[in-house]
Amino acid sequence: MALTAAQMTMLEAMFPRHIMEQIASHGATSNLTEKASGGNGWQNVATMDLSKLATHHECVTIMFTDIVGFTAFSKECTPGQVMSFLNELFSKMDGLLDKHNVYKVETAGDCYIICGGLLDEDEDGFKTVASGSPTRVAKIKAARRALNFAVEMMRVASTVMMPNTGKPVVLRAGLHSGPVVSGLVGSRLPKFSLFGDTMNTASRMESTSVPGRIQVSQATYELLRDPRPSRWQPTGGVQVKGKGLMHTYLMAEEVTRMRRTSTAGAPPDTLPTGSAAL
């Protein structure tokens, strides 16, 4: 059965092109759209060799962020209010993804995860996983895109109010760069996911960060090559479970402080990502 344009758009938002092609080769594409529309598809996905879809990425930059005070907010509000609030906030953050050319990995509760350097566009305009060993310039661009997303995300979040306090949302964020493997997991509601210690370390960068601030690992800091080193404050090291003391850096408060974003293009604090600027 031929897919409609709306169905293709829906699948493109869920999977990169190589995943879609593998699913289609198993005759499961129409089942996926049926399931996403409330049907009982997915049955052919269970017969796929998912190991063929695994792709190693030598270096990407992962960003984790969460909402300061979310636990208390969840206790004080109804589930419907929590869902409505998260939908408003995450939809605003989703609106920044294409602008900064980063990939949304997933959300889990109040945690929002993106990746820089994971995907490219093919000649047909479809998103596909980046293949081969990235150049040094490509690694730098990926790190800068992830950071630029984080900076603007902080500002956009400050335009959303916490329902229980009426105050602007405050986020904390953490970034780390390193290798991951991407692939499809599960035969029910299969999900394109990332795996590896880079994910764990990025999560630790977020959990040990400071409210309203962005913390980056040494690996990410070295890739950023920020021409304005005064924008970064060495933390003196943070204790990370399973890793011991890690050297990290916090973006200066004046860069990430909560203020409403301008509608006139990219904010002035972002790093250039074009190769000419590297």
Side-chain angles (χ1 to χ4, degrees), residues 115-267:
C115 178
L118 182 72
L119 297 182
D120 285 329
E121 278 195 359
D122 62 18
E123 61 275 10
D124 298 321
F126 286 93
K127 292 189 183 302
T128 183
V129 291
S131 58
S133 297
T135 64
R136 175 72 176 174
V137 169
K139 295 175 184 178
I140 292 170
K141 289 170 68 175
R144 289 185 173 186
R145 285 169 177 159
L147 177 67
N148 288 345
F149 176 90
V151 171
E152 191 166 3
M153 169 197 73
M154 290 275 189
R155 294 171 176 154
V156 167
S158 72
T159 68
V160 179
M161 301 298 119
M162 295 290 291
N164 60 328
T165 65
K167 296 180 179 179
V169 168
V170 177
L171 305 176
R172 65 167 62 86
L175 285 78
H176 178 61
S177 304
V180 297
V181 169
S182 67
L184 196 67
V185 294
S187 59
R188 295 289 184 94
L189 294 176
K191 187 176 185 308
F192 181 69
S193 304
L194 304 183
F195 305 90
D197 187 59
T198 297
M199 296 292 289
N200 299 330
T201 304
S203 176
R204 296 290 184 261
M205 291 299 99
E206 175 269 311
S207 63
T208 59
S209 187
V210 177
R213 306 286 290 277
I214 299 169
Q215 179 172 235
V216 304
S217 66
Q218 182 74 37
T220 299
Y221 180 78
E222 291 175 357
L223 284 176
L224 291 172
R225 290 172 41 178
D226 196 330
R228 294 163 287 182
S230 61
R231 301 198 325 162
W232 296 96
Q233 301 169 355
T235 62
V238 296
Q239 286 292 335
V240 175
K241 183 178 180 181
K243 293 182 176 294
L245 189 70
M246 288 189 66
H247 295 291
T248 66
Y249 301 81
L250 285 169
M251 181 167 264
E253 189 171 6
E254 59 267 23
V255 180
T256 56
R257 67 178 179 267
M258 298 296 99
R259 63 178 181 268
R260 296 187 182 276
T261 184
S262 167
T263 58

Side-chain angles (χ1 to χ4, degrees), residues 14-32:
M14 297 166 61
F15 306 113
R17 186 170 192 175
H18 77 293
I19 300 286
M20 293 169 58
E21 289 175 344
Q22 182 73 5
I23 291 171
S25 71
H26 279 68
T29 312
S30 60
N31 290 329
L32 288 177

